[in-house]
Amino acid sequence: MYDQLKNMDAREIELPETVFIRDIESRVFQGIAFQCLAKIEGIGLLEGNLFDSLLGRELERVKGIHVEQDQKKQSVDIRVEINVLYGVSIPEKAEEVQMCLAEEISRWTGLHVASVHVIFKELIPPQGAADPAADSSSSKEFEEAF
């Protein structure tokens, strides 16, 4: 019985007829993730420009950030797909992204971050490096993603 009372919110005792529910839409998590990723150097989003997404120009769909909430456990699983700049240590960058996302999402939503899955999709060539096999449209996509 003590375990049941331990998990009970104090407001449930003070206001027994009131049900407290908090829903957070995926777009809120995506916005937090964008803010976090904007602070990290050496990575880029899959498509579009980070600033366009932050300014709301790409309202209908956010590519590369996927969120699954578990209401019973009050937790969230995050999966981000990003591009990485050539020469950047992938294990170190993955840890930096994971720590930033876990801390920011926990701080702003109050939810436990159960997992942060980082997928590196593309390699961004260093500035000034020309790849003869790549056409101009793919270079432009890399530049926009970074």
Side-chain angles (χ1 to χ4, degrees):
M1 173 142 178
Y2 176 73
D3 291 334
Q4 292 174 346
L5 294 176
K6 181 180 169 185
N7 294 330
M8 184 179 285
D9 189 349
R11 294 180 297 185
E12 293 179 31
I13 295 171
E14 296 168 5
L15 304 167
E17 296 177 9
T18 305
V19 177
F20 295 94
I21 299 172
R22 174 183 62 207
D23 288 329
I24 301 173
E25 292 289 327
S26 293
R27 295 197 52 83
V28 173
F29 293 105
Q30 291 168 342
I32 294 169
F34 273 127
Q35 293 294 327
C36 185
L37 294 173
K39 299 175 191 174
I40 300 173
E41 293 185 23
I43 62 170
L45 298 175
L46 287 183
E47 279 187 16
N49 189 334
L50 176 63
F51 296 110
D52 288 339
S53 299
L54 289 174
L55 295 173
R57 293 180 187 154
E58 190 179 290
L59 294 173
E60 295 302 317
R61 185 175 141 174
V62 178
K63 188 168 184 174
I65 300 175
H66 309 280
V67 180
E68 290 183 25
Q69 294 183 63
D70 186 343
Q71 295 293 341
K72 290 184 179 184
K73 294 182 181 178
Q74 292 291 306
S75 67
V76 62
D77 297 310
I78 305 287
R79 187 178 86 225
V80 294
E81 298 173 350
I82 56 177
N83 299 328
V84 64
L85 183 65
Y86 178 80
V88 171
S89 171
I90 291 176
E92 290 175 11
K93 197 52 64 175
E95 184 176 348
E96 184 180 355
V97 168
Q98 290 166 329
M99 293 303 297
C100 182
L101 287 172
E103 290 171 1
E104 292 290 311
I105 289 172
S106 292
R107 179 182 315 141
W108 294 112
T109 65
L111 297 174
H112 169 71
V113 179
S115 69
V116 179
H117 184 179
V118 178
I119 302 168
F120 293 95
K121 297 291 274 189
E122 296 283 340
L123 187 64
I124 303 168
Q127 296 291 335
D131 182 8
D135 62 88
S136 63
S137 66
S138 63
S139 324
K140 185 178 178 182
E141 290 174 12
F142 277 124
E143 289 174 9
E144 287 178 357
F146 185 68

Short mmCIF file of all heavy atoms in Angstrom, two decimals, residues 15-66:
data_model
loop_
_atom_site.label_atom_id
_atom_site.label_comp_id
_atom_site.label_asym_id
_atom_site.label_seq_id
_atom_site.Cartn_x
_atom_site.Cartn_y
_atom_site.Cartn_z
N LEU A 15 -7.29 17.59 -4.11
CA LEU A 15 -8.42 17.76 -5.03
C LEU A 15 -8.81 16.39 -5.60
O LEU A 15 -8.53 16.08 -6.75
CB LEU A 15 -8.02 18.71 -6.17
CG LEU A 15 -7.52 20.09 -5.75
CD1 LEU A 15 -6.86 20.80 -6.91
CD2 LEU A 15 -8.67 20.91 -5.19
N PRO A 16 -9.50 15.56 -4.82
CA PRO A 16 -9.74 14.17 -5.22
C PRO A 16 -10.61 14.00 -6.46
O PRO A 16 -10.52 12.97 -7.13
CB PRO A 16 -10.41 13.55 -3.99
CG PRO A 16 -10.98 14.70 -3.24
CD PRO A 16 -10.10 15.88 -3.54
N GLU A 17 -11.42 14.97 -6.81
CA GLU A 17 -12.29 14.82 -7.96
C GLU A 17 -11.69 15.39 -9.24
O GLU A 17 -12.32 15.36 -10.29
CB GLU A 17 -13.64 15.50 -7.67
CG GLU A 17 -14.37 14.83 -6.53
CD GLU A 17 -15.66 15.54 -6.19
OE1 GLU A 17 -16.07 16.44 -6.92
OE2 GLU A 17 -16.25 15.18 -5.16
N THR A 18 -10.49 15.90 -9.15
CA THR A 18 -9.84 16.50 -10.31
C THR A 18 -8.81 15.54 -10.88
O THR A 18 -8.03 14.95 -10.15
CB THR A 18 -9.13 17.81 -9.91
OG1 THR A 18 -10.08 18.67 -9.29
CG2 THR A 18 -8.52 18.49 -11.11
N VAL A 19 -8.84 15.39 -12.20
CA VAL A 19 -7.87 14.55 -12.89
C VAL A 19 -6.88 15.48 -13.58
O VAL A 19 -7.28 16.38 -14.32
CB VAL A 19 -8.57 13.64 -13.93
CG1 VAL A 19 -7.55 12.83 -14.70
CG2 VAL A 19 -9.59 12.75 -13.26
N PHE A 20 -5.60 15.26 -13.32
CA PHE A 20 -4.56 16.09 -13.91
C PHE A 20 -3.90 15.33 -15.05
O PHE A 20 -3.34 14.26 -14.85
CB PHE A 20 -3.50 16.47 -12.86
CG PHE A 20 -4.05 17.34 -11.77
CD1 PHE A 20 -4.52 16.80 -10.59
CD2 PHE A 20 -4.12 18.71 -11.95
CE1 PHE A 20 -5.03 17.60 -9.59
CE2 PHE A 20 -4.63 19.53 -10.95
CZ PHE A 20 -5.09 18.97 -9.77
N ILE A 21 -3.99 15.91 -16.24
CA ILE A 21 -3.42 15.28 -17.43
C ILE A 21 -2.54 16.32 -18.12
O ILE A 21 -2.92 17.48 -18.27
CB ILE A 21 -4.52 14.80 -18.39
CG1 ILE A 21 -5.40 13.77 -17.70
CG2 ILE A 21 -3.90 14.25 -19.67
CD1 ILE A 21 -6.62 13.38 -18.49
N ARG A 22 -1.37 15.87 -18.56
CA ARG A 22 -0.46 16.76 -19.29
C ARG A 22 -0.06 16.04 -20.56
O ARG A 22 0.59 15.00 -20.53
CB ARG A 22 0.76 17.06 -18.43
CG ARG A 22 1.81 17.85 -19.17
CD ARG A 22 3.06 18.07 -18.34
NE ARG A 22 3.66 16.80 -18.01
CZ ARG A 22 4.41 16.57 -16.94
NH1 ARG A 22 4.64 17.52 -16.09
NH2 ARG A 22 4.93 15.38 -16.72
N ASP A 23 -0.45 16.60 -21.70
CA ASP A 23 -0.05 16.08 -22.99
C ASP A 23 0.91 17.05 -23.64
O ASP A 23 0.69 18.26 -23.62
CB ASP A 23 -1.26 15.88 -23.92
CG ASP A 23 -2.13 14.71 -23.49
OD1 ASP A 23 -1.59 13.75 -22.94
OD2 ASP A 23 -3.34 14.79 -23.72
N ILE A 24 1.96 16.50 -24.23
CA ILE A 24 2.93 17.32 -24.93
C ILE A 24 3.01 16.81 -26.35
O ILE A 24 3.30 15.63 -26.58
CB ILE A 24 4.32 17.25 -24.26
CG1 ILE A 24 4.21 17.72 -22.80
CG2 ILE A 24 5.33 18.09 -25.03
CD1 ILE A 24 5.49 17.54 -22.00
N GLU A 25 2.72 17.69 -27.29
CA GLU A 25 2.74 17.31 -28.70
C GLU A 25 4.18 17.08 -29.18
O GLU A 25 5.12 17.65 -28.65
CB GLU A 25 2.11 18.41 -29.56
CG GLU A 25 0.62 18.57 -29.35
CD GLU A 25 -0.18 17.43 -29.93
OE1 GLU A 25 0.23 16.85 -30.96
OE2 GLU A 25 -1.23 17.12 -29.35
N SER A 26 4.31 16.26 -30.20
CA SER A 26 5.63 15.95 -30.76
C SER A 26 6.36 17.19 -31.24
O SER A 26 7.59 17.27 -31.17
CB SER A 26 5.49 14.95 -31.90
OG SER A 26 5.05 13.71 -31.41
N ARG A 27 5.62 18.18 -31.72
CA ARG A 27 6.25 19.40 -32.22
C ARG A 27 7.00 20.15 -31.12
O ARG A 27 7.98 20.84 -31.39
CB ARG A 27 5.22 20.30 -32.89
CG ARG A 27 4.64 19.64 -34.15
CD ARG A 27 3.94 20.60 -35.06
NE ARG A 27 4.68 21.77 -35.42
CZ ARG A 27 5.58 21.83 -36.40
NH1 ARG A 27 5.86 20.75 -37.08
NH2 ARG A 27 6.17 22.97 -36.69
N VAL A 28 6.55 20.02 -29.89
CA VAL A 28 7.26 20.65 -28.77
C VAL A 28 8.62 19.98 -28.59
O VAL A 28 9.64 20.66 -28.46
CB VAL A 28 6.43 20.56 -27.47
CG1 VAL A 28 7.24 21.06 -26.28
CG2 VAL A 28 5.13 21.34 -27.61
N PHE A 29 8.64 18.65 -28.62
CA PHE A 29 9.91 17.93 -28.51
C PHE A 29 10.82 18.26 -29.69
O PHE A 29 12.03 18.42 -29.52
CB PHE A 29 9.67 16.42 -28.45
CG PHE A 29 8.96 15.98 -27.21
CD1 PHE A 29 7.63 15.62 -27.24
CD2 PHE A 29 9.64 15.92 -26.00
CE1 PHE A 29 6.99 15.20 -26.10
CE2 PHE A 29 9.00 15.51 -24.85
CZ PHE A 29 7.67 15.15 -24.89
N GLN A 30 10.25 18.37 -30.86
CA GLN A 30 11.04 18.69 -32.05
C GLN A 30 11.64 20.09 -31.93
O GLN A 30 12.79 20.32 -32.29
CB GLN A 30 10.18 18.57 -33.31
CG GLN A 30 9.81 17.14 -33.61
CD GLN A 30 8.73 17.02 -34.67
OE1 GLN A 30 8.02 17.97 -34.97
NE2 GLN A 30 8.61 15.83 -35.24
N GLY A 31 10.88 21.04 -31.40
CA GLY A 31 11.39 22.39 -31.20
C GLY A 31 12.53 22.42 -30.20
O GLY A 31 13.54 23.10 -30.40
N ILE A 32 12.40 21.67 -29.12
CA ILE A 32 13.47 21.57 -28.13
C ILE A 32 14.71 20.95 -28.77
O ILE A 32 15.83 21.42 -28.58
CB ILE A 32 13.02 20.76 -26.90
CG1 ILE A 32 11.91 21.51 -26.15
CG2 ILE A 32 14.21 20.49 -25.97
CD1 ILE A 32 11.21 20.67 -25.09
N ALA A 33 14.50 19.91 -29.57
CA ALA A 33 15.62 19.24 -30.23
C ALA A 33 16.31 20.19 -31.21
O ALA A 33 17.54 20.22 -31.28
CB ALA A 33 15.14 17.98 -30.95
N PHE A 34 15.55 21.00 -31.96
CA PHE A 34 16.14 21.97 -32.88
C PHE A 34 17.01 22.97 -32.12
O PHE A 34 18.12 23.29 -32.55
CB PHE A 34 15.07 22.74 -33.65
CG PHE A 34 14.63 22.05 -34.91
CD1 PHE A 34 13.29 21.81 -35.13
CD2 PHE A 34 15.55 21.67 -35.87
CE1 PHE A 34 12.87 21.18 -36.28
CE2 PHE A 34 15.14 21.05 -37.03
CZ PHE A 34 13.79 20.79 -37.24
N GLN A 35 16.50 23.47 -31.01
CA GLN A 35 17.26 24.43 -30.22
C GLN A 35 18.56 23.79 -29.72
O GLN A 35 19.62 24.42 -29.73
CB GLN A 35 16.44 24.93 -29.03
CG GLN A 35 15.24 25.75 -29.40
CD GLN A 35 15.63 27.07 -30.04
OE1 GLN A 35 16.64 27.66 -29.71
NE2 GLN A 35 14.82 27.53 -30.98
N CYS A 36 18.48 22.56 -29.29
CA CYS A 36 19.65 21.85 -28.79
C CYS A 36 20.66 21.60 -29.91
O CYS A 36 21.86 21.84 -29.75
CB CYS A 36 19.20 20.53 -28.17
SG CYS A 36 20.51 19.62 -27.38
N LEU A 37 20.20 21.12 -31.06
CA LEU A 37 21.08 20.82 -32.18
C LEU A 37 21.73 22.09 -32.74
O LEU A 37 22.83 22.04 -33.27
CB LEU A 37 20.32 20.08 -33.28
CG LEU A 37 19.83 18.68 -32.90
CD1 LEU A 37 18.95 18.10 -34.00
CD2 LEU A 37 20.98 17.75 -32.57
N ALA A 38 21.05 23.22 -32.61
CA ALA A 38 21.60 24.48 -33.12
C ALA A 38 22.85 24.89 -32.34
O ALA A 38 23.70 25.60 -32.86
CB ALA A 38 20.55 25.58 -33.03
N LYS A 39 22.98 24.42 -31.10
CA LYS A 39 24.13 24.76 -30.26
C LYS A 39 25.36 23.91 -30.57
O LYS A 39 26.45 24.24 -30.14
CB LYS A 39 23.78 24.55 -28.79
CG LYS A 39 22.65 25.37 -28.27
CD LYS A 39 22.35 24.97 -26.85
CE LYS A 39 21.05 25.57 -26.35
NZ LYS A 39 20.69 25.07 -25.03
N ILE A 40 25.18 22.82 -31.30
CA ILE A 40 26.26 21.86 -31.51
C ILE A 40 26.90 22.07 -32.87
O ILE A 40 26.23 22.05 -33.90
CB ILE A 40 25.71 20.42 -31.38
CG1 ILE A 40 25.12 20.22 -29.98
CG2 ILE A 40 26.81 19.40 -31.66
CD1 ILE A 40 24.41 18.90 -29.79
N GLU A 41 28.21 22.27 -32.87
CA GLU A 41 28.95 22.47 -34.11
C GLU A 41 29.34 21.14 -34.72
O GLU A 41 29.53 20.15 -34.01
CB GLU A 41 30.20 23.30 -33.84
CG GLU A 41 29.89 24.73 -33.43
CD GLU A 41 31.14 25.56 -33.28
OE1 GLU A 41 32.17 25.21 -33.88
OE2 GLU A 41 31.08 26.55 -32.56
N GLY A 42 29.45 21.10 -36.05
CA GLY A 42 29.92 19.92 -36.75
C GLY A 42 28.83 18.96 -37.18
O GLY A 42 29.12 17.87 -37.66
N ILE A 43 27.56 19.37 -37.01
CA ILE A 43 26.45 18.53 -37.46
C ILE A 43 25.49 19.37 -38.27
O ILE A 43 25.53 20.60 -38.23
CB ILE A 43 25.69 17.86 -36.29
CG1 ILE A 43 25.07 18.92 -35.37
CG2 ILE A 43 26.59 16.91 -35.53
CD1 ILE A 43 24.12 18.35 -34.35
N GLY A 44 24.61 18.72 -39.01
CA GLY A 44 23.59 19.39 -39.79
C GLY A 44 22.33 18.55 -39.85
O GLY A 44 22.36 17.34 -39.62
N LEU A 45 21.23 19.19 -40.14
CA LEU A 45 19.96 18.48 -40.27
C LEU A 45 19.87 17.79 -41.62
O LEU A 45 20.64 18.10 -42.53
CB LEU A 45 18.80 19.45 -40.09
CG LEU A 45 18.74 20.12 -38.73
CD1 LEU A 45 17.63 21.14 -38.70
CD2 LEU A 45 18.55 19.09 -37.64
N LEU A 46 18.91 16.90 -41.76
CA LEU A 46 18.79 16.14 -42.99
C LEU A 46 18.47 17.01 -44.20
O LEU A 46 19.14 16.94 -45.20
CB LEU A 46 17.72 15.06 -42.85
CG LEU A 46 18.11 13.88 -42.00
CD1 LEU A 46 16.99 12.85 -42.01
CD2 LEU A 46 19.40 13.26 -42.46
N GLU A 47 17.43 17.80 -44.11
CA GLU A 47 17.02 18.62 -45.24
C GLU A 47 16.65 20.00 -44.76
O GLU A 47 16.23 20.17 -43.63
CB GLU A 47 15.79 18.02 -45.95
CG GLU A 47 16.14 16.92 -46.88
CD GLU A 47 14.93 16.48 -47.67
OE1 GLU A 47 13.92 17.20 -47.71
OE2 GLU A 47 15.00 15.41 -48.25
N GLY A 48 16.78 20.94 -45.65
CA GLY A 48 16.39 22.30 -45.32
C GLY A 48 17.43 22.97 -44.45
O GLY A 48 18.45 22.41 -44.10
N ASN A 49 17.13 24.17 -44.12
CA ASN A 49 18.02 24.99 -43.32
C ASN A 49 17.52 25.01 -41.89
O ASN A 49 16.31 25.12 -41.64
CB ASN A 49 18.02 26.40 -43.92
CG ASN A 49 19.06 27.28 -43.32
OD1 ASN A 49 19.47 27.09 -42.20
ND2 ASN A 49 19.46 28.28 -44.08
N LEU A 50 18.40 24.90 -40.93
CA LEU A 50 18.02 24.91 -39.52
C LEU A 50 17.27 26.18 -39.18
O LEU A 50 16.27 26.15 -38.47
CB LEU A 50 19.27 24.78 -38.65
CG LEU A 50 19.05 24.86 -37.14
CD1 LEU A 50 18.18 23.71 -36.68
CD2 LEU A 50 20.37 24.85 -36.41
N PHE A 51 17.70 27.31 -39.71
CA PHE A 51 17.05 28.58 -39.41
C PHE A 51 15.63 28.64 -39.97
O PHE A 51 14.74 29.22 -39.36
CB PHE A 51 17.90 29.75 -39.90
CG PHE A 51 19.22 29.81 -39.20
CD1 PHE A 51 20.38 29.52 -39.88
CD2 PHE A 51 19.29 30.12 -37.85
CE1 PHE A 51 21.59 29.54 -39.22
CE2 PHE A 51 20.49 30.15 -37.20
CZ PHE A 51 21.66 29.85 -37.87
N ASP A 52 15.41 28.04 -41.14
CA ASP A 52 14.05 27.99 -41.69
C ASP A 52 13.13 27.22 -40.75
O ASP A 52 12.00 27.63 -40.52
CB ASP A 52 14.04 27.33 -43.07
CG ASP A 52 14.65 28.22 -44.15
OD1 ASP A 52 14.72 29.44 -43.94
OD2 ASP A 52 15.07 27.68 -45.18
N SER A 53 13.63 26.12 -40.23
CA SER A 53 12.82 25.32 -39.32
C SER A 53 12.55 26.07 -38.02
O SER A 53 11.45 26.03 -37.48
CB SER A 53 13.53 24.00 -39.01
OG SER A 53 13.72 23.28 -40.20
N LEU A 54 13.57 26.77 -37.50
CA LEU A 54 13.39 27.52 -36.26
C LEU A 54 12.40 28.67 -36.44
O LEU A 54 11.66 29.01 -35.52
CB LEU A 54 14.73 28.07 -35.78
CG LEU A 54 15.70 27.05 -35.23
CD1 LEU A 54 17.04 27.70 -34.93
CD2 LEU A 54 15.15 26.37 -33.99
N LEU A 55 12.40 29.26 -37.63
CA LEU A 55 11.50 30.37 -37.89
C LEU A 55 10.10 29.92 -38.29
O LEU A 55 9.23 30.74 -38.54
CB LEU A 55 12.09 31.27 -38.98
CG LEU A 55 13.39 31.98 -38.61
CD1 LEU A 55 13.97 32.70 -39.82
CD2 LEU A 55 13.17 32.95 -37.46
N GLY A 56 9.90 28.62 -38.39
CA GLY A 56 8.57 28.11 -38.70
C GLY A 56 8.24 28.08 -40.17
O GLY A 56 7.08 27.96 -40.54
N ARG A 57 9.22 28.20 -41.02
CA ARG A 57 8.95 28.19 -42.46
C ARG A 57 8.62 26.79 -42.97
O ARG A 57 8.03 26.63 -44.01
CB ARG A 57 10.15 28.74 -43.22
CG ARG A 57 10.40 30.19 -42.95
CD ARG A 57 11.58 30.69 -43.70
NE ARG A 57 11.89 32.05 -43.31
CZ ARG A 57 13.08 32.58 -43.38
NH1 ARG A 57 14.09 31.88 -43.87
NH2 ARG A 57 13.28 33.81 -42.99
N GLU A 58 9.01 25.79 -42.23
CA GLU A 58 8.73 24.41 -42.60
C GLU A 58 7.76 23.85 -41.56
O GLU A 58 8.12 23.05 -40.71
CB GLU A 58 10.05 23.62 -42.59
CG GLU A 58 9.95 22.25 -43.18
CD GLU A 58 11.30 21.56 -43.14
OE1 GLU A 58 12.19 21.95 -43.88
OE2 GLU A 58 11.43 20.61 -42.36
N LEU A 59 6.52 24.28 -41.61
CA LEU A 59 5.58 24.00 -40.55
C LEU A 59 4.98 22.60 -40.58
O LEU A 59 4.68 22.04 -39.55
CB LEU A 59 4.44 25.03 -40.58
CG LEU A 59 4.86 26.46 -40.27
CD1 LEU A 59 3.68 27.40 -40.50
CD2 LEU A 59 5.35 26.58 -38.86
N GLU A 60 4.78 22.06 -41.75
CA GLU A 60 4.02 20.83 -41.84
C GLU A 60 4.80 19.58 -41.41
O GLU A 60 4.22 18.66 -40.88
CB GLU A 60 3.51 20.63 -43.28
CG GLU A 60 2.52 21.68 -43.70
CD GLU A 60 1.31 21.75 -42.80
OE1 GLU A 60 0.78 20.70 -42.43
OE2 GLU A 60 0.90 22.86 -42.45
N ARG A 61 6.10 19.56 -41.63
CA ARG A 61 6.82 18.32 -41.38
C ARG A 61 8.24 18.63 -40.91
O ARG A 61 8.92 19.46 -41.47
CB ARG A 61 6.87 17.54 -42.68
CG ARG A 61 7.48 16.19 -42.55
CD ARG A 61 7.34 15.49 -43.85
NE ARG A 61 8.58 14.76 -44.07
CZ ARG A 61 8.79 13.94 -45.05
NH1 ARG A 61 7.86 13.75 -45.93
NH2 ARG A 61 9.91 13.30 -45.18
N VAL A 62 8.65 17.94 -39.88
CA VAL A 62 10.02 18.06 -39.40
C VAL A 62 10.70 16.73 -39.69
O VAL A 62 10.31 15.70 -39.18
CB VAL A 62 10.06 18.38 -37.89
CG1 VAL A 62 11.49 18.45 -37.40
CG2 VAL A 62 9.32 19.68 -37.60
N LYS A 63 11.71 16.81 -40.51
CA LYS A 63 12.37 15.59 -40.93
C LYS A 63 13.57 15.31 -40.04
O LYS A 63 14.35 16.19 -39.75
CB LYS A 63 12.83 15.71 -42.39
CG LYS A 63 13.35 14.42 -42.95
CD LYS A 63 13.51 14.51 -44.43
CE LYS A 63 13.94 13.15 -44.93
NZ LYS A 63 14.00 13.09 -46.35
N GLY A 64 13.69 14.07 -39.62
CA GLY A 64 14.86 13.65 -38.88
C GLY A 64 14.73 13.64 -37.38
O GLY A 64 15.66 13.24 -36.69
N ILE A 65 13.61 14.06 -36.83
CA ILE A 65 13.40 14.01 -35.38
C ILE A 65 12.10 13.27 -35.12
O ILE A 65 11.02 13.70 -35.51
CB ILE A 65 13.34 15.42 -34.77
CG1 ILE A 65 14.65 16.16 -35.03
CG2 ILE A 65 13.07 15.33 -33.27
CD1 ILE A 65 14.64 17.58 -34.59
N HIS A 66 12.23 12.13 -34.46
CA HIS A 66 11.08 11.27 -34.20
C HIS A 66 10.94 11.07 -32.69
O HIS A 66 11.93 10.83 -32.00
CB HIS A 66 11.25 9.93 -34.90
CG HIS A 66 11.60 10.07 -36.35
ND1 HIS A 66 10.66 10.34 -37.31
CD2 HIS A 66 12.78 10.03 -37.00
CE1 HIS A 66 11.26 10.43 -38.50
NE2 HIS A 66 12.56 10.26 -38.32
#
